Amino acid sequence: MTTGYLILARAVHFGACLLFFGIFAFDRFVAASVFENGKSEAAHYWKSCLRFFSLILLPVMFVSGAAWFVLVAMAMSGQPPRLETLQTVWLQTQFGTVWQIRMAVWAVAMAAVILIQSTKSGNPFPDKFIWFQFLCGGLLLGSLAWAGHGREDSRWHLTADVLHLLGAGVWPAGLLPFAMVLRRLRSTSETTIGPFVRRFSSLSLGTVLLMAATGLVNTWFLAGSFSNLVGQSYGRWLLLKIALFCIATAIGAINLLRLRPRLSVEDPRSPAAQAAGARLQTNVQAELLLGAAVVMIVAVLGVLPP
């Protein structure tokens, strides 16, 4: 029963960290350039989404992270949670040290949100605040490498694990804000839909290549051989994760090669552009579902011996 709760806590925490980093990465590298004037309906919509996500994800991160810590302490001691056990894990283990550092970063990010919410009164977030939260999100997400198997081998493995996590924060986590803004752009037939899709597609392509390379490094360190991939529970779950990643990448390739060109050259109000936009929306939703499944698999992998 404890293992099931631990998997759930890990999945929720991973998801919250991925989305927190992903929304600020999406804003900096996609929305900020496409909605440069900030006057369109889609731009205002995205700013409200950014405000909502920044408020909701940090509390989710705290609750799920606390549950993860308590469940790990229970697994270490083999006993129900006690204050003495929690103090020992917090002060005398590497896992506790990682959580101390992450808690400090979380507190700074939360304080920044509270401060900006109390002073801006609904106005757009300033660029300095967004860059600051982007940095905090990267630290919170990348530091998860020290809470998993990435800490157990070489620096190459740890570096690959950090880059893999940050890449996942851009894609597929960035697909959620992309899908939300895409829906709004389609409903208003704004002319920025072409540049918007091109910008995100270019960013996603680079991210997928990074994740593929770092994923190969992680697989080499954690599995070691093909026989381990098919002969052990960890390897089979890892193969399933790789398969889902490949399917999501194939869908992304269709978006890049077939749908993006149509949205780039067609009038957003034309039937061809509307059809391409609808197909793109469906494909992105499928990628999101696959990405959520991958997060669950990552949560399972964290409790299995590699």
Side-chain angles (χ1 to χ4, degrees):
M1 182 62 72
T2 302
T3 300
Y5 286 132
L6 179 57
I7 291 173
L8 179 60
R10 283 172 53 87
V12 173
H13 193 74
F14 265 100
C17 291
L18 286 166
L19 286 177
F20 187 79
F21 177 72
I23 61 168
F24 289 105
F26 177 85
D27 181 88
R28 292 295 82 193
F29 302 121
V30 180
S33 59
V34 176
F35 304 136
E36 191 171 359
N37 56 21
K39 297 180 180 179
S40 67
E41 180 181 342
H44 288 295
Y45 170 73
W46 167 244
K47 290 171 184 175
S48 66
C49 292
L50 186 64
R51 185 176 294 275
F52 170 78
F53 280 124
S54 64
L55 280 172
I56 198 69
L57 288 174
L58 283 169
V60 172
M61 207 181 297
F62 176 83
V63 173
S64 58
W68 184 350
F69 179 83
V70 171
L71 290 166
V72 167
M74 291 173 60
M76 287 181 176
S77 65
Q79 300 175 350
R82 297 176 181 175
L83 182 59
E84 296 82 2
T85 303
L86 296 178
Q87 287 179 336
T88 299
V89 175
W90 182 260
L91 297 173
Q92 300 182 26
T93 67
Q94 180 173 317
F95 184 79
T97 301
V98 172
W99 244 240
Q100 290 177 44
I101 296 171
R102 299 187 76 248
M103 176 58 73
V105 176
W106 178 90
V108 171
M110 191 71 214
V113 169
I114 294 172
L115 178 64
I116 204 71
Q117 290 288 348
S118 63
T119 58
K120 296 301 291 183
S121 302
N123 293 327
F125 288 148
D127 284 349
K128 289 182 179 179
F129 169 79
I130 297 176
W131 279 116
F132 180 78
Q133 294 298 73
F134 171 77
L135 175 61
C136 289
L139 291 173
L140 288 168
L141 179 58
S143 61
L144 288 172
W146 279 265
H149 298 308
R151 71 183 191 279
E152 296 171 0
D153 295 293
S154 70
R155 292 182 179 179
W156 288 104
H157 182 201
L158 186 60
T159 301
D161 208 10
V162 171
L163 292 176
H164 197 74
L165 286 165
L166 295 178
V170 177
W171 183 95
L175 287 168
L176 180 59
F178 175 74
M180 296 172 67
V181 177
L182 177 63
R183 183 180 294 276
R184 181 53 61 98
L185 287 172
R186 289 182 57 232
S187 67
T188 57
S189 299
E190 291 189 23
T191 56
T192 53
I193 189 169
F196 172 73
V197 173
R198 286 198 303 271
R199 184 80 176 182
F200 185 78
S201 296
S202 300
L203 180 65
S204 298
L205 178 60
T207 303
V208 167
L209 294 175
L210 173 66
M211 290 188 66
T214 54
L216 285 173
V217 174
N218 287 340
T219 301
W220 173 262
F221 277 102
L222 293 174
S225 67
F226 182 77
S227 61
N228 287 337
L229 281 175
V230 298
Q232 298 180 4
S233 295
Y234 186 93
R236 290 191 289 270
W237 279 102
L238 185 58
L239 279 177
L240 179 58
K241 176 193 171 186
I242 294 171
L244 294 180
F245 173 80
C246 291
I247 294 172
T249 302
I251 296 174
I254 294 174
N255 298 340
L256 177 67
L257 300 176
R258 297 189 60 182
L259 301 179
R260 189 187 74 167
R262 297 179 190 177
L263 291 170
S264 299
V265 300
E266 297 283 351
D267 186 318
R269 293 174 293 272
S270 68
Q274 291 292 330
R279 176 68 183 278
L280 178 61
Q281 190 85 46
T282 301
N283 286 358
V284 170
Q285 291 170 355
E287 288 180 274
L288 273 172
L289 289 175
L290 291 168
V294 168
V295 170
M296 286 300 302
I297 292 173
V298 169
V300 173
L301 289 172
V303 302
L304 295 176

